[in-house]
Amino acid sequence: MAKQVVFDSEKIAQLDKKYRISLVNSISGFKSANLIGSIDKKDHTNLAIFNSVMHIGANPPLLGFILRPITVPRHTYQNIKETGVYTINYINSEMIDRAHQTGAKYEKEESEFVECGFEERYYKDFEAPFVAESNIKLGMQFKEELPIESNGTRLIVGEIKHIIVEDEVFLRESGAIDLIASNATAIAGLDTYFAPHFIKKLPIPRR
Amino acid sequence: MAKQVVFDSEKIAQLDKKYRISLVNSISGFKSANLIGSIDKKDHTNLAIFNSVMHIGANPPLLGFILRPITVPRHTYQNIKETGVYTINYINSEMIDRAHQTGAKYEKEESEFVECGFEERYYKDFEAPFVAESNIKLGMQFKEELPIESNGTRLIVGEIKHIIVEDEVFLRESGAIDLIASNATAIAGLDTYFAPHFIKKLPIPRR
């Protein structure tokens, strides 16, 4: 017989801090695992792991991510404000350990590309560095930031300017990215990585 | 030899509409698959599939989701504004077909709980309906909405008031939800469902 566990507001507030962070960070479920690349005006590059990249709209093509001042280096934000551009790079499964390591504290003068073993790649005149190793790379232009009053985080919204698919087999005929073929990973909470397996594709729901 | 495929802004804008939607909807990677339950003041219940539930913060415990006027029924938004509460329910793998079907057009007087074969479950005096079949259920209180100027969508932010874990085995000792044990699914784009397999859990990155 399954034993139900219930947490209400009061119980959540009283939880041990580490326990609450584990619970609330994992409860939103599976997320995409990405590296955000950026550069400042002095050509210092930065690379940081994010699990909050989300779809905002298809036309114009917009993606968002949540900037959390505590768990995420502010360098990404500073650089985006300086240059107006950044890159979003998929974390392929063989990149997990190095990508996770970008979450450690590095000084602004140090580049996580160097420290964590990734190669910078530039595309045409786009200023921000892409991750050479990543199978799918996106060049993003900053559009707007929305401060979330409830806790002081921000939603950063950007427009997709470049989509680089490293092998045509990662792209389906429909235009959808084949996330399995491109070896994309999912993340839960801050520390647990998954390789999703295909269950099914369904048609547009109709009555 | 891998053949690279590149889309720049101009090429993205010129893509066939269906192709662009497939590409841009899938490019943000894996998302959690959820059903959002709500109710209006006349006790009409609503249930809608969402793939944009995101972590906003752990203290207070906040989650967000993106409301897209075109692809998502507005009933969810109307009900949240009327009652101030809603539920977020995990889509277990055996629920995928029925959950997907909630994306079809139903009238406000019809309930997707009935039409798609889910059982409403109420918890204490919390007004919004939970999905009985769902292994993890969250009772949410509306906090704020942020209009995204770039395309007219909104970020809806809510506070977690209740966490209902249907079996204690879905909860790890650390407080993290065991997404594999709880049979949670991931979604890519609007139509492709995945069952993630565990790769690894990593320690806090340090130098």
Side-chain angles (χ1 to χ4, degrees):
Chain A
M1 180 69 190
K3 193 183 163 203
Q4 197 188 52
V5 184
V6 178
F7 302 88
D8 60 16
S9 285
E10 207 173 314
K11 195 169 161 192
I12 296 170
Q14 288 165 356
L15 289 173
D16 164 72
K17 191 184 166 193
K18 267 179 127 174
Y19 190 98
R20 185 181 61 239
I21 289 173
S22 289
L23 177 62
V24 181
N25 271 285
S26 65
I27 205 125
S28 60
F30 297 109
K31 307 292 157 216
S32 52
N34 296 108
L35 285 167
I36 295 189
S38 61
I39 190 166
D40 70 9
K41 282 291 180 196
K42 290 177 180 165
D43 287 345
H44 295 129
T45 58
N46 189 274
L47 193 63
I49 190 164
F50 279 80
N51 67 353
S52 62
V53 170
M54 71 192 80
H55 177 80
I56 303 282
N59 189 25
L62 302 171
L63 299 179
F65 68 94
I66 300 290
L67 245 169
R68 285 174 287 162
I70 298 158
T71 54
V72 155
R74 292 159 189 259
H75 301 157
T76 298
Y77 179 67
Q78 289 168 6
N79 293 349
I80 291 174
K81 298 297 280 189
E82 267 186 50
T83 64
V85 291
Y86 54 104
T87 67
I88 296 177
N89 307 273
Y90 279 33
I91 298 176
N92 318 329
S93 59
E94 70 276 13
M95 291 164 55
I96 290 174
D97 291 78
R98 287 177 289 159
H100 190 75
Q101 183 60 25
T102 64
K105 277 184 195 161
Y106 294 97
E107 301 300 323
K108 197 160 191 318
E109 294 67 31
E110 299 172 306
S111 173
E112 292 84 359
F113 278 98
V114 177
E115 302 295 333
C116 305
F118 291 105
E119 190 188 333
E120 293 176 15
R121 176 73 47 87
Y122 292 89
Y123 180 72
K124 289 187 175 170
D125 57 355
F126 194 79
E127 206 174 342
F130 294 88
V131 176
E133 292 84 348
S134 186
N135 285 333
I136 314 280
K137 308 167 169 62
L138 309 175
M140 305 294 302
Q141 183 161 52
F142 173 74
K143 292 291 284 183
E144 59 181 306
E145 59 178 306
L146 291 81
I148 299 170
E149 282 181 24
S150 306
N151 73 344
T153 55
R154 297 156 204 263
L155 170 64
I156 305 293
V157 177
E159 183 171 340
I160 304 174
K161 305 306 278 185
H162 300 287
I163 298 174
I164 303 170
V165 178
E166 289 296 354
D167 191 325
E168 59 183 349
V169 303
F170 301 155
L171 198 58
R172 292 211 221 105
E173 211 179 321
S174 64
I177 298 292
D178 186 330
L179 295 170
I180 301 295
S182 61
N183 202 9
T185 50
I187 190 167
L190 299 170
D191 58 7
T192 310
Y193 294 83
F194 297 88
H197 290 225
F198 178 77
I199 303 176
K200 62 171 75 173
K201 181 178 179 307
L202 291 173
I204 294 172
R206 297 190 201 282
R207 303 190 63 180
Chain B
M1 181 70 189
K3 193 185 164 203
Q4 198 188 52
V5 184
V6 179
F7 301 89
D8 60 17
S9 285
E10 207 172 314
K11 195 170 162 191
I12 295 170
Q14 287 165 357
L15 289 173
D16 164 71
K17 191 185 166 191
K18 268 178 126 174
Y19 190 98
R20 186 181 60 239
I21 289 174
S22 289
L23 177 63
V24 181
N25 270 287
S26 65
I27 206 124
S28 60
F30 296 109
K31 306 293 156 216
S32 51
N34 295 108
L35 284 168
I36 295 189
S38 61
I39 189 167
D40 71 9
K41 282 293 181 194
K42 290 176 181 166
D43 287 347
H44 294 129
T45 58
N46 190 273
L47 193 63
I49 190 164
F50 279 80
N51 67 354
S52 62
V53 170
M54 71 192 80
H55 176 82
I56 302 283
N59 190 24
L62 302 171
L63 299 179
F65 68 94
I66 300 290
L67 245 170
R68 286 173 288 163
I70 297 156
T71 53
V72 155
R74 292 159 188 258
H75 302 157
T76 298
Y77 179 68
Q78 289 169 6
N79 293 348
I80 291 174
K81 297 297 279 191
E82 268 186 48
T83 64
V85 291
Y86 53 104
T87 67
I88 296 177
N89 307 273
Y90 279 32
I91 297 176
N92 317 329
S93 60
E94 70 277 12
M95 289 164 57
I96 291 173
D97 291 77
R98 287 177 288 160
H100 191 73
Q101 183 60 25
T102 65
K105 277 184 194 160
Y106 293 98
E107 301 301 322
K108 197 160 192 315
E109 293 68 31
E110 298 173 307
S111 173
E112 291 83 0
F113 278 97
V114 176
E115 301 294 331
C116 304
F118 291 106
E119 190 187 334
E120 294 176 15
R121 177 73 47 88
Y122 292 89
Y123 180 73
K124 289 186 175 170
D125 58 355
F126 195 78
E127 206 174 343
F130 294 88
V131 176
E133 292 84 348
S134 186
N135 285 333
I136 314 280
K137 308 166 169 63
L138 308 174
M140 305 294 302
Q141 183 162 56
F142 173 75
K143 293 291 283 184
E144 60 182 304
E145 61 179 304
L146 292 81
I148 299 170
E149 281 180 25
S150 306
N151 72 344
T153 55
R154 298 155 202 264
L155 171 65
I156 306 292
V157 177
E159 182 170 340
I160 304 174
K161 304 308 278 185
H162 300 288
I163 298 174
I164 303 171
V165 178
E166 289 296 353
D167 191 325
E168 61 184 347
V169 302
F170 302 153
L171 197 59
R172 292 210 221 105
E173 211 180 322
S174 64
I177 297 292
D178 186 330
L179 295 171
I180 301 295
S182 61
N183 201 9
T185 49
I187 191 169
L190 300 169
D191 58 6
T192 311
Y193 294 83
F194 297 87
H197 290 223
F198 178 76
I199 302 176
K200 62 171 75 173
K201 181 178 179 307
L202 291 173
I204 294 171
R206 298 189 200 282
R207 303 193 60 181

